[in-house]
Amino acid sequence: DAGVIQSPRHEVTEMGQEVTLRCKPISGHNSLFWYRQTMMRGLELLIYFNNNVPIDDSGMPEDRFSAKMPNASFSTLKIQPSEPRDSAVYFCASSLEGFTGELFFGEGSRLTVL
Amino acid sequence: AQRVTQPEKLLSVFKGAPVELKCNYSYSGSPELFWYVQYSRQRLQLLLRHISRESIKGFTADLNKGETSFHLKKPFAQEEDSAMYYCALKGMGFNKFYFGSGTKLNVKP
């Protein structure tokens, strides 16, 4: 397995534009997480899904952020409209609930909003 | 409320010196504690978990429920240990992970 796959790896956009980040979890994993990493706040959990259902989205900063998981092998995190303060590295991670408790991370998507 | 605190943003030590990365937590139930590491240009990955009671790359961490701590220790730091370290907590039976803000370890030659 190639592990958790995220795209794009880098995204530079202008304020006000829509940004869509994509994630393919490890096959067979039933939980998927979106995290945001910044120097100031470290790793913040934005939302997590279990069996494709959003369980906890309390970390989503505001209505400009939305996430979907239409099937077990794909998830998106959308920011519309984007703002400079959204600049960060966004990580997707997956796990198999109840197994080892280990999270497997993607390589991250570095977003820069000008 | 659940909380993981890593008080040091940056820790610099010389090669061969002991290192301790601090982690304190707040959780009302039975927690599972983890240390994750992110080396330069690599994915964030699991370093060790408290239930395994193992030593990985010379690192150990003991869960101290009285002090609600899970500090990461290594007796002799190596330059290749330079990385970002995150302490994480998961509630037993739950799948939500809480991460601390991270500590950047810099091991100088």
Side-chain angles (χ1 to χ4, degrees):
Chain A
D1 200 319
V4 176
I5 300 172
Q6 290 186 245
S7 64
R9 292 291 312 281
H10 302 275
E11 174 91 6
V12 180
T13 190
E14 292 190 346
M15 183 173 66
Q17 297 298 306
E18 178 180 293
V19 173
T20 299
L21 307 178
R22 298 173 178 79
C23 175
K24 181 180 187 305
I26 291 173
S27 177
H29 281 188
N30 58 1
S31 294
L32 183 140
F33 305 78
W34 283 100
Y35 284 90
R36 179 169 65 177
Q37 182 187 46
T38 61
M39 288 291 291
M40 291 300 296
R41 303 176 74 157
L43 270 174
E44 301 174 273
L45 177 63
L46 300 178
I47 185 170
Y48 90 92
F49 296 84
N50 195 46
N51 294 321
N52 312 339
V53 176
I55 301 300
D56 187 339
D57 65 354
S58 58
M60 295 286 261
E62 41 195 284
D63 292 344
R64 297 185 296 107
F65 285 70
S66 63
K68 294 182 180 179
M69 191 164 187
N71 57 61
S73 58
F74 184 66
S75 176
T76 60
L77 177 67
K78 186 174 292 187
I79 308 172
Q80 165 64 17
S82 58
E83 296 183 2
R85 61 190 167 126
D86 301 329
S87 297
V89 181
Y90 291 81
F91 286 101
C92 177
S94 70
S95 73
L96 183 57
E97 184 178 0
F99 190 48
T100 66
E102 180 178 353
L103 277 180
F104 293 83
F105 283 82
E107 293 181 290
S109 294
R110 181 176 293 276
L111 173 64
T112 302
V113 183
L114 303 174
Chain B
Q2 307 87 339
R3 190 181 184 94
V4 179
T5 303
Q6 293 181 249
E8 304 136 329
K9 280 207 175 295
L10 174 65
L11 186 62
S12 287
V13 300
F14 284 101
K15 176 184 172 182
V19 62
E20 180 179 66
L21 287 80
K22 292 184 167 49
C23 172
N24 288 90
Y25 67 90
S26 172
Y27 189 71
S28 56
S30 295
E32 293 184 53
L33 275 296
F34 305 80
W35 277 98
Y36 279 78
V37 61
Q38 187 177 26
Y39 299 104
S40 178
R41 302 181 189 281
Q42 293 189 27
R43 300 174 188 235
L44 201 66
Q45 58 189 284
L46 177 67
L47 179 62
L48 53 78
R49 69 196 91 193
H50 89 268
I51 58 173
S52 300
R53 295 183 171 272
E54 56 196 345
S55 173
I56 303 292
K57 299 185 179 183
F59 284 98
T60 59
D62 292 317
L63 178 60
N64 185 324
K65 292 186 178 181
E67 295 182 0
T68 59
S69 68
F70 188 57
H71 303 326
L72 183 67
K73 300 177 184 179
K74 185 169 183 176
F76 307 103
Q78 303 299 313
E79 289 181 69
E80 55 265 30
D81 296 329
S82 296
M84 192 76 176
Y85 291 81
Y86 289 94
C87 182
L89 173 153
K90 182 174 88 71
M92 202 79 75
F94 294 92
N95 211 28
K96 186 173 177 178
F97 285 76
Y98 300 90
F99 282 81
S101 54
T103 297
K104 184 170 183 177
L105 174 64
N106 180 33
V107 181
K108 297 177 282 189

